[in-house]
Amino acid sequence: MTRAAIESGNRAFIAAFLRGDARAVADLYTEDAQVIPPGGEVTSGRPAIATFWRTVMDAGVDDLTLDTTEVESAGDLACEVGAVRVVGKNGQVTAGRYVVVWKRQNGHWKLHRDIWNSAQ
Amino acid sequence: MTRAAIESGNRAFIAAFLRGDARAVADLYTEDAQVIPPGGEVTSGRPAIATFWRTVMDAGVDDLTLDTTEVESAGDLACEVGAVRVVGKNGQVTAGRYVVVWKRQNGHWKLHRDIWNSAQ
């Protein structure tokens, strides 16, 4: 059930991202979430996270895929491991692996810590 | 208390790493742990994890620091966010950020998922 909620959260993330709605993406995170991107500073809180994803959108993304490999959870904390695939406007494909720590708040699972890197 | 156990685990990690004992490092992980290094394949299980850290040791590391920024836990699952700093034999300093998912097994907290990246 936790895994289904997280996969649903990822579908919402992708839909919001692909329609260019950075604020809706940020709303999927907790208030005090952190995004830890390779090659960039740690980004904390929804406004900064919206700005971060806006910048990624502006760089031009044609497609985004999130494949959940596993979810382990206890109480209101869950750890997701997965694979991410980004297709740029130029057709270039970037693949990475991520760990997202999710927190359940008021019955809703939210991204809380989000870190990824690339195998290349 | 969970944080203290994790910080103690990190001290054991650093001690084993700096004395070149890759097997002792690997023993700090769960049996089915994964290490997800930037620029490398996902490494699963203690034997492969020992080999991975042996390769890092052989590359020449003068010092290793792990600074825990925060720990959030529920039941037997904990999420640690921190900063890592590696000083190579040549004096070059590499800094990164990591997320480690820890699992408590038979009363002992073990690294279960280990991912990091660099701000540069």
Side-chain angles (χ1 to χ4, degrees):
Chain A
M1 287 204 328
T2 301
R3 180 171 177 140
I6 284 172
E7 288 180 337
S8 167
N10 283 340
R11 284 193 296 274
F13 189 110
I14 290 166
F17 186 92
L18 292 178
R19 72 173 185 265
D21 190 344
R23 185 163 167 190
V25 172
D27 282 346
L28 297 168
Y29 287 82
T30 60
E31 293 271 4
D32 57 340
Q34 289 181 0
V35 172
I36 308 173
E41 293 304 311
V42 177
T43 302
S44 302
R46 285 182 187 151
I49 287 172
T51 301
F52 172 80
W53 288 117
R54 161 63 48 208
T55 304
V56 176
M57 290 167 185
D58 288 349
V61 174
D62 233 29
D63 197 20
L64 170 69
T65 314
L66 299 170
D67 278 320
T68 303
T69 309
E70 59 161 14
V71 173
E72 298 194 60
S73 64
D76 293 329
L77 195 67
C79 164
E80 179 198 8
V81 180
V84 55
R85 189 169 166 278
V86 178
V87 182
K89 287 285 179 205
N90 55 5
Q92 195 184 336
V93 177
T94 310
R97 300 77 51 95
Y98 65 85
V99 171
V100 173
V101 178
W102 295 74
K103 271 178 105 165
R104 186 165 49 189
Q105 295 182 331
N106 305 317
H108 298 283
W109 285 97
K110 299 277 188 180
L111 294 94
H112 186 56
R113 298 291 178 261
D114 185 2
I115 185 169
W116 65 96
N117 65 33
S118 165
Q120 282 78 44
Chain B
M1 286 207 324
T2 301
R3 179 170 178 139
I6 284 171
E7 289 179 337
S8 167
N10 283 339
R11 284 192 297 274
F13 189 110
I14 290 166
F17 186 92
L18 292 179
R19 73 172 183 266
D21 189 344
R23 186 164 166 189
V25 172
D27 281 345
L28 297 168
Y29 288 82
T30 61
E31 292 273 6
D32 57 339
Q34 288 181 1
V35 172
I36 308 172
E41 293 305 309
V42 177
T43 301
S44 303
R46 284 181 187 151
I49 288 172
T51 301
F52 172 80
W53 287 116
R54 161 64 48 209
T55 304
V56 176
M57 289 166 186
D58 288 348
V61 174
D62 232 28
D63 198 19
L64 170 69
T65 315
L66 299 170
D67 278 320
T68 302
T69 310
E70 59 162 12
V71 173
E72 298 194 60
S73 65
D76 292 329
L77 195 68
C79 163
E80 178 198 10
V81 181
V84 55
R85 189 169 167 276
V86 178
V87 183
K89 286 285 179 205
N90 56 5
Q92 195 184 337
V93 177
T94 310
R97 302 76 51 95
Y98 65 85
V99 171
V100 173
V101 178
W102 295 74
K103 271 178 104 165
R104 186 166 50 189
Q105 296 181 330
N106 304 318
H108 298 284
W109 285 96
K110 298 278 187 182
L111 294 94
H112 185 56
R113 298 290 177 262
D114 185 3
I115 185 171
W116 66 94
N117 65 32
S118 165
Q120 280 79 46

